[in-house]
């Protein structure tokens, strides 16, 4: 499956009954683009052990590492679950966080994030960067539109920042944004675990929209932010409390598509 070009292998583990350790071991094999199916990560639908959700989403980056939440992957997961008998409105968990999904159409899904988050400013490489958590760790910095097209430079800087001592041991994803207007921006994301630029990143799109709002020193937001990635547009909207500087009621809308179905031998 793919969501805005972020591609995933998706499994229904209710019949496979693989352990989490087995899924982690499988991930780099099945995600390998030469010797496996090829993907940015592995998403697995698990039977939940909780009473307050419909299912559990288990996600691993292509290298088998824990990504925390994956926004594009969650949209694919919701569409996959709907195709396997779940309703259009779903409640699921990733680790201890509970999320809501709405399958709006055959290729469009909305995910509601339950969290509150705030933005921390930091100086790195002699310019301001902004760190926040949107289900996983993200660093955001602004560049001009021409710099956004220089992918070799973005990869080099993204790799350096991803491993910066300030963010160890977990590391961070790195987002480069260029504003278009008040409610739209362009984005390139260097993803931890993929260790490269990806065509899109859902939680990175959320982080980037929040930082773009922050940089404009806006009051409570009424915008639906359009975040343009190489894989397509994602839409982010949220609430902002100017007193606490907290962001909440965060929603991510965007595409989700089946690419192919098959069998994998392991």
């Amino acid at each position: 499956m793919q969501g805005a070009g972020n591609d995933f292998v998706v499994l229904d583990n209710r019949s496979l009954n693989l352990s989490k350790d087995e899924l982690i071991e499988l991930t780099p094999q099945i995600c390998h683009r030469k010797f496996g199916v090829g993907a940015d990560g592995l998403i697995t639908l698990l039977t939940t052990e909780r009473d307050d959700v419909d299912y559990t989403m288990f996600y691993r980056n292509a290298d088998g590492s824990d990504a925390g939440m994956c926004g594009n992957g969650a949209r694919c997961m919701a569409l996959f679950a709907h195709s396997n008998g779940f309703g259009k409105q779903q409640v699921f968990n990733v680790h201890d966080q509970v999320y809501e999904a709405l399958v709006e159409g055959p290729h469009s899904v909305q995910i509601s994030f339950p969290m509150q988050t705030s933005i921390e400013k930091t100086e790195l490489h002699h310019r301001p960067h902004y760190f926040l958590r949107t289900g996983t760790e993200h660093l955001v910095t602004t560049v001009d539109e021409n710099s956004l097209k220089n992918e070799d430079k973005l990869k080099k800087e993204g790799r350096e920042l991803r491993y910066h001592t300030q963010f160890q041991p977990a590391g961070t994803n790195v987002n480069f944004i260029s504003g278009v207007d008040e409610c739209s921006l362009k984005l390139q994301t260097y993803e931890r675990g993929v260790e490269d630029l990806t065509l899109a990143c859902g939680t990175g799109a959320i982080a980037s929209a929040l930082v773009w709002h922050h940089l404009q020193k806006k009051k409570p937001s009424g915008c639906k932010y359009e975040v343009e990635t190489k894989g397509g547009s994602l839409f982010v909207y949220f609430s902002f409390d100017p007193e606490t500087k907290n962001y909440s009621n965060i929603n991510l809308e965007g595409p989700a598509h089946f690419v192919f179905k098959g069998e994998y031998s392991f």
Side-chain angles (χ1 to χ4, degrees), residues 57 67-75 90-92 94 97-102 109-117 132-138 201-207 210 234-239 247-254:
M57 170 178 152
M69 176 54 163
C70 176
N72 289 330
R75 293 199 316 279
Q90 304 164 14
V91 181
F92 64 95
V94 179
Q97 289 287 345
V98 176
Y99 301 85
E100 296 181 1
L102 173 63
V109 179
Q110 173 187 319
I111 303 293
S112 297
F113 286 64
M115 68 198 65
Q116 287 192 353
T117 191
L132 64 165
R133 292 174 176 83
T134 55
T136 189
E137 296 84 357
H138 280 281
C201 176
T203 54
I206 293 172
L210 300 189
L234 301 170
F235 297 90
V236 179
Y237 52 101
F238 49 83
S239 299
Y247 291 88
S248 60
N249 301 318
I250 299 168
N251 288 270
L252 173 70
E253 290 182 5

Side-chain angles (χ1 to χ4, degrees), residues 160-161 163-169:
E160 291 172 355
L161 291 168
Y163 286 104
H164 195 282
T165 54
Q166 184 168 323
F167 308 111
Q168 294 306 309

Side-chain angles (χ1 to χ4, degrees), residues 99-143:
Y99 301 85
E100 296 181 1
L102 173 63
V103 179
E104 299 176 311
H107 304 300
S108 180
V109 179
Q110 173 187 319
I111 303 293
S112 297
F113 286 64
M115 68 198 65
Q116 287 192 353
T117 191
S118 58
I119 296 170
E120 304 169 25
K121 183 179 178 181
T122 184
E123 291 284 333
L124 296 168
H125 295 180
H126 307 292
R127 73 173 195 263
H129 292 69
Y130 303 88
F131 182 77
L132 64 165
R133 292 174 176 83
T134 55
T136 189
E137 296 84 357
H138 280 281
L139 189 69
V140 181
T141 188
T142 58
V143 297

